[in-house]
Amino acid sequence: MSERDYLLPTHHDEEVTFKSSVINVLKSSHINWLLVFVPIALAMSGASETVVFSLNFIAIIPLAKLLGYATEEIALRCGSVIGSLLNATFGNAVELILALIALKEGYIRVVQASILGSILSNILLVLGCCFLFGGIGRSEQTFNATAAQTNTSLLALTTLSLLIPAAFSATAASAKEVDRGIINLSHGTAIILLIVYGLYLVFQLKTHTALFEDEADEEEKPHTTVAVAVGSLLLIACLIALHAEHLVGAIEGVVEVWGLNETFVGLIILPLVGNAAEHVSSVTFAMKNKMNLCIGIAISSSLQIGLLVSPILVLTGWAIDVPMTFFFEVFETVILFASVMIVNYLIADGKSNWLEGALLLAVYTIVAMAFFYHPIV
C-alpha cells in the first residue's frame, strides 16, 4: 500500500468537493509539515546566504512532492501522457526562467552548464533512482521499449547538435571564421530543433499516444477536482520558481564557504534544485510501478531541455545580441555523448531492475567527481 493510500480516504463513492480536495492535497504526504518552511524561507530572505540556501532548499522538498501529487491527479483524469508532459513542462519552466535571467546578465557559460547538467541529472540521477527504488521488491519492471527508444533517439539528436559545433571548431581555419560560423550554425540548428520538438508533440499526443500511456488503474480514482489539481499545479510551480530564485542567489556565497568551483555548481548543484520537482515525481511513480509515466517525466524533461529550452535560449541570445551558441566544451560534450549511449543500452529491452538503477547512479557519481576535479578553463 502506498503513502497516498494510507493518508487519503479509500471511500471513492463519496463526491469530491472543493473542501475535500484541499484537505486531500494537504494530507497527501507525510512530509507536508515541511511546508512551514515556505513562509519562513521567504521571511528570512535577508539573512546570510548559507541560511537562505538551507531554508529554501528545505522548502522546495515538500513543494516538489505536491507538484508530483497534482500531476498524478491530472494524469488520472487525462492520461499519463498529459500528466508526464505537464510535469516536465512545469519543472522546466523554472529552469527556463532562471536561464533567461542569467543570459540577460551575460553569464553564457553558466547557462550552458545548467543546460547540460539538467540533461545529465534527468537521464542518470532521476532515471537511476527510478530503476533502483522502483525495482526494490520486484524482479523487474517493464515499460514500452518503442517509446523509450524514440525518446533516446531524440536525445541522440540533442547530443549531435552539440557535437557538430565542437567538430566545426576543431577543424576550422581561423578563430574569426569559427566564431561567426558557430553562431550562424547555432541559430539554424535552434530553429530545426524547435520544429523537431513540435513534431515530437504531434507524435506523442496525437498519432502514437498509446505508446506512452500506462495501463489504467481502475482501483485508483482522483481525490481532487480538476480545478484544485490545476490550481495547485500553477501555484506550486510559482512557489518553486520563487524559492529557486532565492536559492540560486545564495549559491555564490555558499560556494565560497564550501570551496566549490562554479562549473561544478552549474552542472551538478543548480540542476538538482531546478529539477527537484521531476526528481520526486518520477521516483514516486516508479515506486507505484507506473514506469511509462516515470520514464516519460525523466526523459521528456531532458528532451524539453535539449529540443525546446536550449533553442529558445539560443534564439533569445540572438534577439538581445548575446552570443549564446551550442558550442560547449569538448570535455562536457563527450560526457553527454557517453551518458546518452549508456542510457540507450539499458532501456533498449523495455525492462529495468534495481541493478540497472545502481549502474546509472554510479555513472552520475563518476561524472560529478569528474566535474568536481576538472580544472576551470
Side-chain angles (χ1 to χ4, degrees), residues 94-108:
V94 178
E95 292 279 317
L96 180 59
I97 292 170
L98 294 176
L100 286 173
I101 294 173
L103 186 64
K104 185 179 179 181
E105 298 298 324
Y107 298 123
I108 297 175

Side-chain angles (χ1 to χ4, degrees), residues 121-132:
S121 69
N122 276 303
I123 66 175
L124 297 179
L125 178 62
V126 178
L127 209 55
C129 288
C130 289
F131 288 175
L132 178 62

